Amino acid sequence: MPTAPRPATPSRLSRPSLTERRKAETQLEIARTAAALFAERGAAVTAEEIARTAGVALRTFYRYFRTKEDAVAPLLAVGVREWIDDLATAAAGPDAPPARAALERAARQALTPADAPAEEALHWTRGLLRAMPGDPALRAVWHRVHHDSEEALMPVLAKLTGAGPLELRLAAAAANTAMRVAVEEWAAGDAPADGPHGPAELAGRGLHALTAGLPELDRRKE
């Protein structure tokens, strides 16, 4: 999901080692570079160009990523993790809202650019999506990230509802699809990231439409 990485807070930290943090930072820096280049030049971008622009050796690039398209996955995955983290936070505690309200709030927050880096991340995502028709491998990365998002959503939704396995799967699929389609529709046009035609508004509308037949989302788990 195309949100800019937010500063880590103590509640979000799992105390990774210094080596792990450096590895993650390097991966994310390469991912930012790859996304910007794909947004600018489309499928013509090469792994060599990504590595050179990111300031790493080509062998370092291939230590982290199998292909040039794989390089954008960490940037997209950061947004997914933050969206699900926000939803998980909403699900915690006795005053948790119904799942439908929590989903819409988290979706709108994830897709509303709060600062310049977040707006830039959405700009890169628009460019990535426009490059995908000419690069099926890039589209495969996009769908893989969304598949992982759908899988990660189910246990979080289980904490918010008393829904059965089928309803949980349907709710996760509906929420994930609403987010994906909202970003794709926005990226296909020229509307700004905020406003009535931005991805946050489109996601809200999509969630309402796709989850209308799931009354379980309006019930708190007992």
Side-chain angles (χ1 to χ4, degrees):
M1 209 49 59
T3 59
R6 296 195 292 271
T9 62
S11 62
R12 290 177 182 267
L13 291 174
S14 57
R15 294 297 178 188
S17 68
L18 180 59
T19 299
E20 290 171 330
R21 292 200 302 273
R22 285 175 174 168
K23 179 180 178 180
E25 288 166 3
T26 299
Q27 285 181 312
L28 195 54
E29 183 55 38
I30 295 172
R32 290 191 189 102
T33 301
L37 288 171
F38 273 114
E40 180 183 346
R41 301 189 54 235
V45 173
T46 65
E48 290 83 358
E49 186 178 2
I50 295 169
R52 183 174 62 252
T53 306
V56 300
L58 185 59
R59 66 178 179 276
T60 301
F61 176 91
Y62 281 118
R63 189 182 307 145
Y64 291 117
F65 306 107
R66 291 186 303 109
T67 68
K68 65 180 183 179
E69 291 85 6
D70 281 339
V72 304
L75 188 67
L76 298 174
V78 163
V80 169
R81 285 196 303 272
E82 290 179 349
W83 173 43
I84 294 174
D85 280 353
D86 288 340
L87 188 60
T89 299
D95 297 325
R100 192 186 308 279
L103 273 169
E104 183 170 345
R105 186 165 60 212
R108 288 181 181 275
Q109 182 173 327
L111 295 176
T112 299
D115 51 28
E119 191 166 351
E120 187 176 30
L122 281 169
H123 170 75
W124 289 337
T125 303
R126 174 176 263 166
L128 283 172
L129 286 164
R130 290 180 174 182
M132 284 178 189
D135 193 337
L138 192 59
R139 179 168 288 278
V141 172
W142 173 252
H143 285 291
R144 187 176 75 231
V145 169
H146 278 279
H147 171 78
D148 293 345
S149 170
E150 188 172 317
E151 291 291 313
L153 270 171
M154 285 191 284
V156 177
L157 288 172
K159 293 180 180 180
L160 278 166
T161 74
L166 175 62
E167 288 75 19
L168 283 175
R169 228 182 134 182
L170 288 171
N176 184 65
T177 299
M179 294 284 280
R180 177 178 59 80
V181 171
V183 175
E184 290 175 350
E185 284 295 306
W186 169 77
D190 297 308
D194 52 2
H197 303 291
E201 286 299 318
L202 295 177
R205 287 165 52 191
L207 276 167
H208 179 77
L210 292 177
T211 64
L214 292 169
E216 294 83 1
L217 295 183
D218 293 315
R219 302 170 192 154
R220 292 181 176 85
K221 186 173 182 179
E222 298 183 5

